[in-house]
Amino acid sequence: AQSVAQPEDQVNVAEGNPLTVKCTYSVSGNPYLFWYVQYPNRGLQFLLKYITGDNLVKGSYGFEAEFNKSQTSFHLKKPSALVSDSALYFCAVREEGNTGKLIFGQGTTLQVKP
Amino acid sequence: DGGITQSPKYLFRKEGQNVTLSCEQNLNHDAMYWYRQDPGQGLRLIYYSQIVNDFQKGDIAEGYSVSREKKESFPLTVTSAQKNPTAFYLCASTPDPRAVFLYGYTFGSGTRLTVV
């Protein structure tokens, strides 16, 4: 069965420092991976996706993600964190088949301190 | 502007009461999904609909019901059989479920349901 794991409940980083939010996945076929961000009491907003090709994917708000097939990981990164990046981040993988279902990780809270 | 509208934003339910959460989209998307969000548990799929007049149970469908009579609308009813309904409920859609890897989901802003 497909699954997604986000091993850290919370990540703390100082403003201006690089950040990484980790995600590992398990799929039997080609992985189609997503990152979403959620601000308090709001829906999720799309950040970026991996379909195929370049292992470094660039997305919204200066975020990027590195796909690593051998480690089955898709870590979210940003070179210089902002206080406004503080939010809840979700990694997701498409479930195989044509249902359109996405399987989400449990989420990682990113706290960026001034 | 195109998007998904969920209403109400906050909803309070008494014990034994059924309540209905609204989800409306003007994106002309075929597929719609309901997720439940609880702290530390991520998003869990309740029901989904790949096309109008059809829907399927997700992972935690017990105590919930849906309908998809119109393409734009996918209301979720939380019945009295749902023993722990307090949660944040999110509705999402995608243009074509077969191509979700291209489009991902568009989400509504959610409804927070509280049992009082």
Side-chain angles (χ1 to χ4, degrees), chain A residues 9 32 34 36 38 41-46 49-51 88 90 94-95 97-107, chain B residues 9-10 33 35 37 40-43 45 48 50 59 88 90 94 97-98 100-105 107-110 112:
Chain A
D9 290 337
Y32 299 110
F34 299 83
Y36 285 85
Q38 185 183 34
N41 292 311
R42 302 302 303 272
L44 277 66
Q45 298 176 30
F46 172 81
K49 66 176 183 265
Y50 174 82
I51 301 174
L88 183 57
F90 288 97
R94 187 207 70 162
E95 184 179 273
N98 292 324
T99 63
K101 286 195 278 186
L102 295 182
I103 300 168
F104 289 85
Q106 72 269 34
Chain B
K9 191 171 177 66
Y10 299 96
Y33 305 81
Y35 285 89
Q37 183 178 9
Q41 295 195 48
L43 276 64
L45 183 64
Y48 65 101
Q50 295 172 262
D59 301 317
F88 192 54
L90 287 161
T94 194
R98 298 166 298 177
V100 70
F101 65 95
L102 281 176
Y103 301 109
Y105 286 168
F107 281 89
S109 56
R112 186 164 296 281

Side-chain angles (χ1 to χ4, degrees), chain A residues 82-95:
Chain A
L82 299 172
V83 172
S84 57
D85 292 330
S86 299
L88 183 57
Y89 290 81
F90 288 97
C91 181
V93 66
R94 187 207 70 162
E95 184 179 273

